[in-house]
Amino acid sequence: MDRPLTENIRPGEGPPGIAEYERAGGYRALRKVLGDADPQGLIRTVTDSHLRGRGGAGFPTGRKWSFVPRGEQAAHPVYLIINADEMEPGTFKDRLLLEENPHLLIEGIVIGGYALQADIAYIFLRQEYTLAGERCSRAVAEAYDRGYLGRNILGSGFSLELYLHSSAGRYICGEETALLNALEGRRAIPRAKPPFPPVTGLWGKPTIVNNVETICNVPQIAEHGADRFRALSRSVDGGTKLYGVSGRVKKPGLWELPMGASIREILEEHAGGMRDGFTLRAIIPGGASTEFLPADRLDVKMDFDSVKAAGSRLGTGTMIVLDDRTCPVGMILNLMRFFARESCGWCTPCREGLPWLARTLEAIENGEGRPEDMEILRRHAGLLAPGHTFCALAPGAVEPLQSGLTIFEEDFIRHIREKRCPWRK
Amino acid sequence: MLTQQEVTEINSELAHYEQKRGGCIEALKTVQRHRGWVSDESLADLADFLEMTTDELDSVATFYNLIFRKPVGRHVILVCDSVSCWAMGFGEVLGHLEERLGIKLGQTTADGRFTLLPNVCLGACDRAPALMIDGDLHGDLDEQKVDKILAGYE
């Protein structure tokens, strides 16, 4: 099975240095691109590959790239920003690529930068990813030394500077317009859209923000073409996907599999199934802001359209398992406390609504809930739906709540009726 | 007053941004790296240096949870309290830490050795529960392991 993202990774041995990466065929795609592809043709290839953004939203990458204005009159500098602010609870996939294969990331950045005719690129890295920071810094220095970054890359006339920005916390920085404000040295508050970043982004200049895993897919598409990339997948979305599982399974971890592998395959074959003494109740398929899927939906394929059709979202593709010995109300309370704390505070529904939901859930979990709380929770989930808030944080926060109220309705009611959490001793 | 060393480090970061204030988060972190936290006095000096008002810079500094506007201990413990760690025993780990250190989340030990803070998902969900001390990640925690880890930070 092809594993283009992870085939060079040797756990425990550290990432391949530049010489090793080159020996394994690294930077060959970049040489090819600079030698013969035209930037527009490269964008068409990425569009044809059906690569969709791996940060959670699944926007087609080639289409996003096509929004950057072209031609003599176009504004410069053009920025390419890699969102390495991985902070979605339950998500740990970009860490692997950042720590174990930084040259793949850099090669993707230079190829993507060439397609966009970008001038400056940033890796926006969360501060807590310290090992990733060290390894990426070293790899960037190596790439500059070999002439893969900087002025006139490999004599092509194309130039690109790449900087590592280490952030200082806050989940909201992962939202692309909040990220732009953070990079400009401001509070990380989302911006109104439109204008959209590809036209008016960092310091008002055209800016593309791509996730780490997304951009790591670009070298293979540039080298082997769109057809080969689509053929890696078992769905209409191209390529492979880094899938992960955490929770009470035998072997929590990450695996690169064809896009469209089923939940069952990931959970049972790769994660080894549930630990002895634990039964699966539900999963959250792709990070904290995706809806629960009950245990009878294991045959759902983990691609964007299939998970959506099943009533949730693929998100980051790293699933969180809920077992029978863990209280679902407690889990949803944990999620809601997280979102309430991480709200940037800019818009009222989110700033006020999420703490209200957290307090209501807390009351139920502590045995102080009232029957009418169910209706309050349901109504607020609607009030915080898309269109009512400035960005997607609060709508994301209510996804697990809304689905949880349906799937675990009996458990909620039991808390209220028995005036206690049945899972607490 | 910023030290010469701090000025040199901050200037090398500022070169990466189209506008000076773009480097203000890196600048705040540089000061914190040298002094442990960002005092009112450091903040004012830095604001001058960056050609920002003190309030502008403070509005940024207080937004980001990893910039400390109060003194912290010699070692800062960030305990992951997000969903996977929560499901895998965050409560026990936190309870043990609070008991061992004699402090609650948000507090610093009397001897100034440790500050204990909650943190969003550390991206170590396959090694839950996890925590980070001074940038070192520790996973698959239990009470014995926590004791052993703490002993490594004097």
Side-chain angles (χ1 to χ4, degrees):
Chain A
M1 189 163 45
D2 284 320
R3 293 186 296 114
L5 298 177
T6 56
E7 64 192 0
N8 289 330
I9 292 177
R10 310 268 177 275
E13 290 179 23
I18 197 159
E20 200 186 325
Y21 182 73
E22 284 172 332
R23 270 199 303 280
Y27 290 107
R28 209 161 52 197
L30 175 63
R31 286 176 191 280
K32 181 183 169 203
V33 162
L34 295 177
D36 61 29
D38 66 303
Q40 295 276 35
L42 195 54
I43 293 179
R44 275 195 300 276
T45 305
V46 172
T47 305
D48 292 343
S49 76
H50 295 183
L51 171 63
R52 293 176 67 174
R54 307 294 201 235
F59 196 85
T61 305
R63 240 181 95 208
K64 190 191 257 190
W65 288 6
S66 73
F67 297 149
V68 172
R70 294 269 160 184
E72 298 284 304
Q73 308 293 318
H76 277 274
V78 170
Y79 291 102
L80 171 60
I81 300 170
I82 304 311
N83 188 343
D85 198 53
E86 180 167 75
M87 237 183 264
E88 180 74 21
T91 303
F92 50 102
K93 67 183 183 68
D94 294 336
R95 171 201 285 282
L96 178 78
L97 297 169
L98 291 160
E99 289 182 352
E100 303 293 343
N101 213 356
H103 279 293
L104 179 66
L105 174 67
I106 294 169
E107 187 175 10
I109 292 170
V110 186
I111 295 171
Y114 178 74
L116 296 162
Q117 292 292 291
D119 306 274
I120 298 172
Y122 293 97
I123 299 171
F124 188 100
L125 183 68
R126 67 178 296 193
Q127 178 179 314
E128 300 94 318
Y129 276 15
T130 48
L131 184 61
E134 287 164 25
R135 290 178 172 181
C136 286
S137 295
R138 195 178 318 137
V140 168
E142 286 178 330
Y144 267 105
D145 275 350
R146 292 285 173 114
Y148 295 131
L149 284 169
R151 310 279 319 153
N152 191 18
I153 294 169
L154 302 175
S156 65
F158 172 66
S159 300
L160 183 73
E161 301 296 336
L162 173 59
Y163 305 122
L164 189 66
H165 172 92
S166 166
S167 186
R170 296 307 293 270
Y171 170 72
I172 192 63
C173 292
E175 199 278 344
E176 81 175 349
T177 59
L179 182 151
L180 299 179
N181 278 336
L183 255 186
E184 290 185 6
R186 301 172 194 280
R187 292 167 76 89
I189 288 161
R191 296 178 179 177
K193 295 189 268 193
F196 291 92
V199 177
T200 304
L202 191 65
W203 288 297
K205 298 297 196 310
T207 304
I208 290 293
V209 182
N210 283 143
N211 166 264
V212 170
E213 186 185 348
T214 308
I215 206 82
C216 284
N217 276 299
V218 169
Q220 48 158 328
I221 296 170
E223 189 174 0
H224 304 298
D227 291 347
R228 164 99 174 259
F229 188 74
R230 284 202 310 271
L232 292 171
S233 166
R234 289 188 213 148
S235 84
V236 292
D237 310 324
T240 57
K241 176 79 192 79
L242 283 180
Y243 293 112
V245 180
S246 64
R248 303 257 176 215
V249 291
K250 289 205 179 84
K251 294 180 290 179
L254 277 178
W255 307 274
E256 182 182 3
L257 301 172
M259 177 67 93
S262 72
I263 298 172
R264 184 183 305 282
E265 178 184 344
I266 297 164
L267 204 58
E268 292 177 359
E269 276 179 42
H270 299 282
M274 298 301 287
R275 285 195 197 177
D276 295 335
F278 293 88
T279 305
L280 178 71
R281 281 205 72 191
I283 65 151
I284 302 179
S289 54
T290 59
E291 275 108 332
F292 282 94
L293 289 176
D296 60 4
R297 302 308 306 275
L298 294 193
D299 291 314
V300 171
K301 286 165 62 175
M302 286 283 279
D303 60 66
F304 290 101
D305 296 342
S306 306
V307 183
K308 193 174 173 196
S312 185
R313 291 191 303 119
L314 176 65
T316 58
T318 43
M319 62 179 88
I320 307 157
V321 165
L322 172 66
D323 61 78
D324 62 328
R325 288 161 66 176
T326 300
C327 172
V329 177
M331 189 182 229
I332 296 168
L333 170 61
N334 172 276
L335 295 169
M336 199 55 72
R337 279 182 176 153
F338 161 81
F339 285 110
R341 184 175 75 197
E342 295 304 322
S343 168
C344 79
W346 179 249
C347 76
T348 310
C350 178
R351 183 188 61 240
E352 306 297 326
L354 295 179
W356 185 259
L357 286 172
R359 280 196 299 273
T360 308
L361 287 162
E362 194 175 83
I364 297 174
E365 175 66 1
N366 291 337
E368 295 156 3
R370 298 183 211 145
E372 59 267 32
D373 287 344
M374 293 299 284
E375 183 48 33
I376 289 176
L377 291 175
R378 279 199 193 94
R379 196 167 65 234
H380 277 73
L383 289 171
L384 290 168
H388 296 246
T389 59
F390 203 75
C391 81
L393 186 139
V398 296
E399 287 186 28
L401 171 65
Q402 242 166 343
S403 50
L405 284 170
T406 309
I407 299 170
F408 311 118
E409 189 176 8
E410 275 306 307
D411 300 303
F412 274 90
I413 291 169
R414 240 184 105 194
H415 278 76
I416 294 169
R417 198 177 50 223
E418 296 178 15
K419 299 193 189 314
R420 66 181 192 99
C421 170
W423 278 267
R424 279 193 212 168
K425 287 171 201 105
Chain B
M1 280 278 287
L2 299 173
T3 64
Q4 196 48 53
Q5 178 67 26
E6 286 168 333
V7 169
T8 307
E9 287 178 31
I10 291 169
N11 276 331
S12 76
E13 290 294 340
L14 293 186
H16 300 167
Y17 302 91
E18 191 174 306
Q19 291 175 14
K20 216 170 180 179
R21 74 169 294 163
C24 77
I25 293 166
E26 304 266 20
L28 286 161
K29 287 173 59 168
T30 303
V31 167
Q32 183 166 296
R33 205 159 46 239
H34 288 283
R35 305 173 188 216
W37 65 297
V38 181
S39 67
D40 288 350
E41 197 193 342
S42 307
L43 187 96
D45 292 340
L46 199 50
D48 272 352
F49 182 79
L50 295 167
E51 295 162 22
M52 294 168 73
T53 67
T54 314
D55 286 346
E56 262 182 319
L57 187 61
D58 205 13
S59 80
V60 176
T62 53
F63 185 88
Y64 296 92
N65 60 294
L66 296 175
I67 291 172
F68 306 135
R69 288 285 281 114
K70 288 182 190 167
V72 291
R74 293 195 295 284
H75 308 290
V76 176
I77 307 174
L78 305 175
V79 196
C80 177
D81 62 2
S82 288
V83 62
S84 301
C85 283
W86 173 84
M88 296 298 284
F90 153 79
E92 288 76 23
V93 167
L94 178 66
H96 184 67
L97 276 167
E98 288 182 334
E99 195 191 306
R100 273 294 307 269
L101 301 175
I103 53 173
K104 296 282 179 195
L105 281 174
Q107 297 179 338
T108 300
T109 54
D111 60 2
R113 187 173 160 206
F114 288 113
T115 295
L116 187 62
L117 297 173
N119 209 79
V120 304
C121 184
L122 287 167
C125 320
D126 52 342
R127 288 170 272 172
L131 59 73
M132 176 166 263
I133 307 183
D134 303 346
D136 308 327
L137 182 67
H138 302 280
D140 293 319
L141 301 175
D142 55 35
E143 295 186 359
Q144 290 74 25
K145 200 165 171 195
V146 166
D147 289 343
K148 225 158 102 187
I149 292 164
L150 290 180
Y153 297 88
E154 268 314 312

